mmCIF file with all atom_site columns, all heavy atoms in Angstrom:
data_model
loop_
_atom_site.group_PDB
_atom_site.id
_atom_site.type_symbol
_atom_site.label_atom_id
_atom_site.label_alt_id
_atom_site.label_comp_id
_atom_site.label_asym_id
_atom_site.label_entity_id
_atom_site.label_seq_id
_atom_site.pdbx_PDB_ins_code
_atom_site.Cartn_x
_atom_site.Cartn_y
_atom_site.Cartn_z
_atom_site.occupancy
_atom_site.B_iso_or_equiv
_atom_site.pdbx_formal_charge
_atom_site.auth_seq_id
_atom_site.auth_comp_id
_atom_site.auth_asym_id
_atom_site.auth_atom_id
_atom_site.pdbx_PDB_model_num
ATOM 1   N N   . THR A 1 177 ? -32.878 -7.241  28.805 1.00 38.00 ? 177 THR A N   1
ATOM 2   C CA  . THR A 1 177 ? -32.411 -8.584  28.531 1.00 38.00 ? 177 THR A CA  1
ATOM 3   C C   . THR A 1 177 ? -31.629 -9.029  29.760 1.00 38.00 ? 177 THR A C   1
ATOM 4   O O   . THR A 1 177 ? -30.721 -8.340  30.198 1.00 38.00 ? 177 THR A O   1
ATOM 5   C CB  . THR A 1 177 ? -31.498 -8.592  27.304 1.00 38.00 ? 177 THR A CB  1
ATOM 6   O OG1 . THR A 1 177 ? -32.216 -8.071  26.201 1.00 38.00 ? 177 THR A OG1 1
ATOM 7   C CG2 . THR A 1 177 ? -31.012 -9.993  26.998 1.00 38.00 ? 177 THR A CG2 1
ATOM 8   N N   . LEU A 1 178 ? -31.976 -10.160 30.333 1.00 40.00 ? 178 LEU A N   1
ATOM 9   C CA  . LEU A 1 178 ? -31.450 -10.530 31.639 1.00 40.00 ? 178 LEU A CA  1
ATOM 10  C C   . LEU A 1 178 ? -30.376 -11.603 31.548 1.00 40.00 ? 178 LEU A C   1
ATOM 11  O O   . LEU A 1 178 ? -30.438 -12.490 30.699 1.00 40.00 ? 178 LEU A O   1
ATOM 12  C CB  . LEU A 1 178 ? -32.594 -11.055 32.511 1.00 40.00 ? 178 LEU A CB  1
ATOM 13  C CG  . LEU A 1 178 ? -33.815 -10.139 32.608 1.00 40.00 ? 178 LEU A CG  1
ATOM 14  C CD1 . LEU A 1 178 ? -34.940 -10.869 33.321 1.00 40.00 ? 178 LEU A CD1 1
ATOM 15  C CD2 . LEU A 1 178 ? -33.462 -8.862  33.333 1.00 40.00 ? 178 LEU A CD2 1
ATOM 16  N N   . SER A 1 179 ? -29.408 -11.548 32.454 1.00 51.00 ? 179 SER A N   1
ATOM 17  C CA  . SER A 1 179 ? -28.512 -12.675 32.643 1.00 51.00 ? 179 SER A CA  1
ATOM 18  C C   . SER A 1 179 ? -29.335 -13.787 33.286 1.00 51.00 ? 179 SER A C   1
ATOM 19  O O   . SER A 1 179 ? -30.147 -13.533 34.169 1.00 51.00 ? 179 SER A O   1
ATOM 20  C CB  . SER A 1 179 ? -27.351 -12.294 33.565 1.00 51.00 ? 179 SER A CB  1
ATOM 21  O OG  . SER A 1 179 ? -26.534 -11.333 32.957 1.00 51.00 ? 179 SER A OG  1
ATOM 22  N N   . HIS A 1 180 ? -29.162 -15.001 32.823 1.00 52.00 ? 180 HIS A N   1
ATOM 23  C CA  . HIS A 1 180 ? -30.029 -16.052 33.311 1.00 52.00 ? 180 HIS A CA  1
ATOM 24  C C   . HIS A 1 180 ? -29.265 -17.364 33.427 1.00 52.00 ? 180 HIS A C   1
ATOM 25  O O   . HIS A 1 180 ? -28.149 -17.507 32.940 1.00 52.00 ? 180 HIS A O   1
ATOM 26  C CB  . HIS A 1 180 ? -31.230 -16.233 32.387 1.00 52.00 ? 180 HIS A CB  1
ATOM 27  C CG  . HIS A 1 180 ? -30.853 -16.442 30.948 1.00 52.00 ? 180 HIS A CG  1
ATOM 28  N ND1 . HIS A 1 180 ? -30.384 -17.637 30.454 1.00 52.00 ? 180 HIS A ND1 1
ATOM 29  C CD2 . HIS A 1 180 ? -30.859 -15.584 29.899 1.00 52.00 ? 180 HIS A CD2 1
ATOM 30  C CE1 . HIS A 1 180 ? -30.133 -17.526 29.171 1.00 52.00 ? 180 HIS A CE1 1
ATOM 31  N NE2 . HIS A 1 180 ? -30.405 -16.292 28.799 1.00 52.00 ? 180 HIS A NE2 1
ATOM 32  N N   . SER A 1 181 ? -29.901 -18.325 34.054 1.00 55.00 ? 181 SER A N   1
ATOM 33  C CA  . SER A 1 181 ? -29.305 -19.642 34.198 1.00 55.00 ? 181 SER A CA  1
ATOM 34  C C   . SER A 1 181 ? -29.328 -20.356 32.850 1.00 55.00 ? 181 SER A C   1
ATOM 35  O O   . SER A 1 181 ? -30.021 -19.951 31.924 1.00 55.00 ? 181 SER A O   1
ATOM 36  C CB  . SER A 1 181 ? -30.091 -20.457 35.234 1.00 55.00 ? 181 SER A CB  1
ATOM 37  O OG  . SER A 1 181 ? -31.446 -20.554 34.850 1.00 55.00 ? 181 SER A OG  1
ATOM 38  N N   . ALA A 1 182 ? -28.558 -21.424 32.759 1.00 52.00 ? 182 ALA A N   1
ATOM 39  C CA  . ALA A 1 182 ? -28.438 -22.143 31.494 1.00 52.00 ? 182 ALA A CA  1
ATOM 40  C C   . ALA A 1 182 ? -29.786 -22.634 30.993 1.00 52.00 ? 182 ALA A C   1
ATOM 41  O O   . ALA A 1 182 ? -30.050 -22.639 29.789 1.00 52.00 ? 182 ALA A O   1
ATOM 42  C CB  . ALA A 1 182 ? -27.471 -23.303 31.650 1.00 52.00 ? 182 ALA A CB  1
ATOM 43  N N   . ASP A 1 183 ? -30.668 -23.056 31.896 1.00 61.00 ? 183 ASP A N   1
ATOM 44  C CA  . ASP A 1 183 ? -31.968 -23.571 31.454 1.00 61.00 ? 183 ASP A CA  1
ATOM 45  C C   . ASP A 1 183 ? -33.015 -22.476 31.320 1.00 61.00 ? 183 ASP A C   1
ATOM 46  O O   . ASP A 1 183 ? -34.165 -22.731 30.969 1.00 61.00 ? 183 ASP A O   1
ATOM 47  C CB  . ASP A 1 183 ? -32.471 -24.656 32.412 1.00 61.00 ? 183 ASP A CB  1
ATOM 48  C CG  . ASP A 1 183 ? -32.700 -24.126 33.825 1.00 61.00 ? 183 ASP A CG  1
ATOM 49  O OD1 . ASP A 1 183 ? -32.521 -22.904 34.057 1.00 61.00 ? 183 ASP A OD1 1
ATOM 50  O OD2 . ASP A 1 183 ? -33.066 -24.935 34.700 1.00 61.00 ? 183 ASP A OD2 1
ATOM 51  N N   . GLY A 1 184 ? -32.620 -21.218 31.623 1.00 67.00 ? 184 GLY A N   1
ATOM 52  C CA  . GLY A 1 184 ? -33.536 -20.099 31.450 1.00 67.00 ? 184 GLY A CA  1
ATOM 53  C C   . GLY A 1 184 ? -34.553 -19.936 32.560 1.00 67.00 ? 184 GLY A C   1
ATOM 54  O O   . GLY A 1 184 ? -35.395 -19.047 32.513 1.00 67.00 ? 184 GLY A O   1
ATOM 55  N N   . SER A 1 185 ? -34.485 -20.775 33.598 1.00 77.00 ? 185 SER A N   1
ATOM 56  C CA  . SER A 1 185 ? -35.499 -20.732 34.648 1.00 77.00 ? 185 SER A CA  1
ATOM 57  C C   . SER A 1 185 ? -35.260 -19.633 35.662 1.00 77.00 ? 185 SER A C   1
ATOM 58  O O   . SER A 1 185 ? -36.178 -19.232 36.376 1.00 77.00 ? 185 SER A O   1
ATOM 59  C CB  . SER A 1 185 ? -35.556 -22.073 35.379 1.00 77.00 ? 185 SER A CB  1
ATOM 60  O OG  . SER A 1 185 ? -34.325 -22.308 36.077 1.00 77.00 ? 185 SER A OG  1
ATOM 61  N N   . SER A 1 186 ? -33.997 -19.130 35.732 1.00 77.00 ? 186 SER A N   1
ATOM 62  C CA  . SER A 1 186 ? -33.647 -18.149 36.750 1.00 77.00 ? 186 SER A CA  1
ATOM 63  C C   . SER A 1 186 ? -32.964 -16.948 36.116 1.00 77.00 ? 186 SER A C   1
ATOM 64  O O   . SER A 1 186 ? -32.381 -17.037 35.031 1.00 77.00 ? 186 SER A O   1
ATOM 65  C CB  . SER A 1 186 ? -32.706 -18.767 37.796 1.00 77.00 ? 186 SER A CB  1
ATOM 66  O OG  . SER A 1 186 ? -33.294 -19.905 38.395 1.00 77.00 ? 186 SER A OG  1
ATOM 67  N N   . VAL A 1 187 ? -33.052 -15.829 36.804 1.00 72.00 ? 187 VAL A N   1
ATOM 68  C CA  . VAL A 1 187 ? -32.380 -14.614 36.346 1.00 72.00 ? 187 VAL A CA  1
ATOM 69  C C   . VAL A 1 187 ? -31.511 -14.075 37.468 1.00 72.00 ? 187 VAL A C   1
ATOM 70  O O   . VAL A 1 187 ? -31.745 -14.366 38.645 1.00 72.00 ? 187 VAL A O   1
ATOM 71  C CB  . VAL A 1 187 ? -33.388 -13.527 35.897 1.00 72.00 ? 187 VAL A CB  1
ATOM 72  C CG1 . VAL A 1 187 ? -34.228 -14.010 34.743 1.00 72.00 ? 187 VAL A CG1 1
ATOM 73  C CG2 . VAL A 1 187 ? -34.267 -13.087 37.061 1.00 72.00 ? 187 VAL A CG2 1
ATOM 74  N N   . ARG A 1 188 ? -30.511 -13.292 37.095 1.00 71.00 ? 188 ARG A N   1
ATOM 75  C CA  . ARG A 1 188 ? -29.603 -12.715 38.070 1.00 71.00 ? 188 ARG A CA  1
ATOM 76  C C   . ARG A 1 188 ? -29.962 -11.263 38.317 1.00 71.00 ? 188 ARG A C   1
ATOM 77  O O   . ARG A 1 188 ? -30.128 -10.481 37.397 1.00 71.00 ? 188 ARG A O   1
ATOM 78  C CB  . ARG A 1 188 ? -28.154 -12.806 37.599 1.00 71.00 ? 188 ARG A CB  1
ATOM 79  C CG  . ARG A 1 188 ? -27.142 -12.198 38.568 1.00 71.00 ? 188 ARG A CG  1
ATOM 80  C CD  . ARG A 1 188 ? -25.711 -12.419 38.120 1.00 71.00 ? 188 ARG A CD  1
ATOM 81  N NE  . ARG A 1 188 ? -24.774 -11.786 39.028 1.00 71.00 ? 188 ARG A NE  1
ATOM 82  C CZ  . ARG A 1 188 ? -24.386 -12.301 40.190 1.00 71.00 ? 188 ARG A CZ  1
ATOM 83  N NH1 . ARG A 1 188 ? -24.866 -13.472 40.573 1.00 71.00 ? 188 ARG A NH1 1
ATOM 84  N NH2 . ARG A 1 188 ? -23.530 -11.670 40.975 1.00 71.00 ? 188 ARG A NH2 1
ATOM 85  N N   . VAL A 1 189 ? -30.082 -10.899 39.565 1.00 76.00 ? 189 VAL A N   1
ATOM 86  C CA  . VAL A 1 189 ? -30.329 -9.523  39.977 1.00 76.00 ? 189 VAL A CA  1
ATOM 87  C C   . VAL A 1 189 ? -29.044 -8.976  40.581 1.00 76.00 ? 189 VAL A C   1
ATOM 88  O O   . VAL A 1 189 ? -28.451 -9.615  41.453 1.00 76.00 ? 189 VAL A O   1
ATOM 89  C CB  . VAL A 1 189 ? -31.474 -9.436  41.006 1.00 76.00 ? 189 VAL A CB  1
ATOM 90  C CG1 . VAL A 1 189 ? -31.668 -7.992  41.459 1.00 76.00 ? 189 VAL A CG1 1
ATOM 91  C CG2 . VAL A 1 189 ? -32.764 -9.986  40.419 1.00 76.00 ? 189 VAL A CG2 1
ATOM 92  N N   . THR A 1 190 ? -28.603 -7.834  40.105 1.00 71.00 ? 190 THR A N   1
ATOM 93  C CA  . THR A 1 190 ? -27.347 -7.242  40.583 1.00 71.00 ? 190 THR A CA  1
ATOM 94  C C   . THR A 1 190 ? -27.614 -5.894  41.212 1.00 71.00 ? 190 THR A C   1
ATOM 95  O O   . THR A 1 190 ? -28.315 -5.057  40.643 1.00 71.00 ? 190 THR A O   1
ATOM 96  C CB  . THR A 1 190 ? -26.353 -7.071  39.419 1.00 71.00 ? 190 THR A CB  1
ATOM 97  O OG1 . THR A 1 190 ? -26.086 -8.350  38.842 1.00 71.00 ? 190 THR A OG1 1
ATOM 98  C CG2 . THR A 1 190 ? -25.053 -6.451  39.910 1.00 71.00 ? 190 THR A CG2 1
ATOM 99  N N   . ILE A 1 191 ? -27.050 -5.675  42.385 1.00 76.00 ? 191 ILE A N   1
ATOM 100 C CA  . ILE A 1 191 ? -27.145 -4.395  43.094 1.00 76.00 ? 191 ILE A CA  1
ATOM 101 C C   . ILE A 1 191 ? -25.724 -3.984  43.438 1.00 76.00 ? 191 ILE A C   1
ATOM 102 O O   . ILE A 1 191 ? -25.124 -4.472  44.393 1.00 76.00 ? 191 ILE A O   1
ATOM 103 C CB  . ILE A 1 191 ? -27.984 -4.518  44.382 1.00 76.00 ? 191 ILE A CB  1
ATOM 104 C CG1 . ILE A 1 191 ? -29.354 -5.127  44.072 1.00 76.00 ? 191 ILE A CG1 1
ATOM 105 C CG2 . ILE A 1 191 ? -28.139 -3.153  45.045 1.00 76.00 ? 191 ILE A CG2 1
ATOM 106 C CD1 . ILE A 1 191 ? -30.142 -5.483  45.313 1.00 76.00 ? 191 ILE A CD1 1
ATOM 107 N N   . GLY A 1 192 ? -25.158 -3.104  42.628 1.00 67.00 ? 192 GLY A N   1
ATOM 108 C CA  . GLY A 1 192 ? -23.763 -2.746  42.816 1.00 67.00 ? 192 GLY A CA  1
ATOM 109 C C   . GLY A 1 192 ? -22.887 -3.963  42.621 1.00 67.00 ? 192 GLY A C   1
ATOM 110 O O   . GLY A 1 192 ? -22.917 -4.617  41.588 1.00 67.00 ? 192 GLY A O   1
ATOM 111 N N   . THR A 1 193 ? -22.095 -4.304  43.657 1.00 65.00 ? 193 THR A N   1
ATOM 112 C CA  . THR A 1 193 ? -21.225 -5.485  43.582 1.00 65.00 ? 193 THR A CA  1
ATOM 113 C C   . THR A 1 193 ? -21.896 -6.738  44.128 1.00 65.00 ? 193 THR A C   1
ATOM 114 O O   . THR A 1 193 ? -21.304 -7.816  44.110 1.00 65.00 ? 193 THR A O   1
ATOM 115 C CB  . THR A 1 193 ? -19.920 -5.229  44.365 1.00 65.00 ? 193 THR A CB  1
ATOM 116 O OG1 . THR A 1 193 ? -20.247 -4.919  45.728 1.00 65.00 ? 193 THR A OG1 1
ATOM 117 C CG2 . THR A 1 193 ? -19.133 -4.079  43.746 1.00 65.00 ? 193 THR A CG2 1
ATOM 118 N N   . LEU A 1 194 ? -23.137 -6.607  44.620 1.00 71.00 ? 194 LEU A N   1
ATOM 119 C CA  . LEU A 1 194 ? -23.875 -7.749  45.133 1.00 71.00 ? 194 LEU A CA  1
ATOM 120 C C   . LEU A 1 194 ? -24.724 -8.354  44.026 1.00 71.00 ? 194 LEU A C   1
ATOM 121 O O   . LEU A 1 194 ? -25.054 -7.689  43.049 1.00 71.00 ? 194 LEU A O   1
ATOM 122 C CB  . LEU A 1 194 ? -24.771 -7.324  46.301 1.00 71.00 ? 194 LEU A CB  1
ATOM 123 C CG  . LEU A 1 194 ? -24.073 -6.603  47.470 1.00 71.00 ? 194 LEU A CG  1
ATOM 124 C CD1 . LEU A 1 194 ? -25.113 -6.181  48.505 1.00 71.00 ? 194 LEU A CD1 1
ATOM 125 C CD2 . LEU A 1 194 ? -23.014 -7.492  48.094 1.00 71.00 ? 194 LEU A CD2 1
ATOM 126 N N   . GLY A 1 195 ? -25.086 -9.628  44.195 1.00 68.00 ? 195 GLY A N   1
ATOM 127 C CA  . GLY A 1 195 ? -25.923 -10.256 43.193 1.00 68.00 ? 195 GLY A CA  1
ATOM 128 C C   . GLY A 1 195 ? -26.454 -11.587 43.669 1.00 68.00 ? 195 GLY A C   1
ATOM 129 O O   . GLY A 1 195 ? -25.850 -12.243 44.521 1.00 68.00 ? 195 GLY A O   1
ATOM 130 N N   . PHE A 1 196 ? -27.628 -11.961 43.132 1.00 75.00 ? 196 PHE A N   1
ATOM 131 C CA  . PHE A 1 196 ? -28.211 -13.243 43.495 1.00 75.00 ? 196 PHE A CA  1
ATOM 132 C C   . PHE A 1 196 ? -29.148 -13.679 42.383 1.00 75.00 ? 196 PHE A C   1
ATOM 133 O O   . PHE A 1 196 ? -29.583 -12.882 41.547 1.00 75.00 ? 196 PHE A O   1
ATOM 134 C CB  . PHE A 1 196 ? -28.961 -13.164 44.828 1.00 75.00 ? 196 PHE A CB  1
ATOM 135 C CG  . PHE A 1 196 ? -29.952 -12.028 44.905 1.00 75.00 ? 196 PHE A CG  1
ATOM 136 C CD1 . PHE A 1 196 ? -31.260 -12.195 44.455 1.00 75.00 ? 196 PHE A CD1 1
ATOM 137 C CD2 . PHE A 1 196 ? -29.559 -10.793 45.411 1.00 75.00 ? 196 PHE A CD2 1
ATOM 138 C CE1 . PHE A 1 196 ? -32.159 -11.143 44.525 1.00 75.00 ? 196 PHE A CE1 1
ATOM 139 C CE2 . PHE A 1 196 ? -30.468 -9.740  45.468 1.00 75.00 ? 196 PHE A CE2 1
ATOM 140 C CZ  . PHE A 1 196 ? -31.768 -9.909  45.031 1.00 75.00 ? 196 PHE A CZ  1
ATOM 141 N N   . MET A 1 197 ? -29.456 -14.995 42.369 1.00 79.00 ? 197 MET A N   1
ATOM 142 C CA  . MET A 1 197 ? -30.339 -15.562 41.367 1.00 79.00 ? 197 MET A CA  1
ATOM 143 C C   . MET A 1 197 ? -31.735 -15.749 41.943 1.00 79.00 ? 197 MET A C   1
ATOM 144 O O   . MET A 1 197 ? -31.895 -16.123 43.119 1.00 79.00 ? 197 MET A O   1
ATOM 145 C CB  . MET A 1 197 ? -29.807 -16.914 40.880 1.00 79.00 ? 197 MET A CB  1
ATOM 146 C CG  . MET A 1 197 ? -28.412 -16.876 40.282 1.00 79.00 ? 197 MET A CG  1
ATOM 147 S SD  . MET A 1 197 ? -28.325 -15.977 38.717 1.00 79.00 ? 197 MET A SD  1
ATOM 148 C CE  . MET A 1 197 ? -29.241 -17.103 37.633 1.00 79.00 ? 197 MET A CE  1
ATOM 149 N N   . ILE A 1 198 ? -32.759 -15.470 41.125 1.00 84.00 ? 198 ILE A N   1
ATOM 150 C CA  . ILE A 1 198 ? -34.143 -15.743 41.512 1.00 84.00 ? 198 ILE A CA  1
ATOM 151 C C   . ILE A 1 198 ? -34.835 -16.403 40.325 1.00 84.00 ? 198 ILE A C   1
ATOM 152 O O   . ILE A 1 198 ? -34.385 -16.295 39.184 1.00 84.00 ? 198 ILE A O   1
ATOM 153 C CB  . ILE A 1 198 ? -34.908 -14.468 41.933 1.00 84.00 ? 198 ILE A CB  1
ATOM 154 C CG1 . ILE A 1 198 ? -34.973 -13.479 40.761 1.00 84.00 ? 198 ILE A CG1 1
ATOM 155 C CG2 . ILE A 1 198 ? -34.262 -13.827 43.153 1.00 84.00 ? 198 ILE A CG2 1
ATOM 156 C CD1 . ILE A 1 198 ? -35.816 -12.248 41.074 1.00 84.00 ? 198 ILE A CD1 1
#
Side-chain angles (χ1 to χ4, degrees):
T177 302
L178 308 171
S179 294
H180 53 77
S181 58
D183 62 3
S185 65
S186 303
V187 299
R188 179 175 178 80
V189 178
T190 300
I191 306 171
T193 58
L194 305 177
F196 51 87
M197 302 292 291
I198 61 175

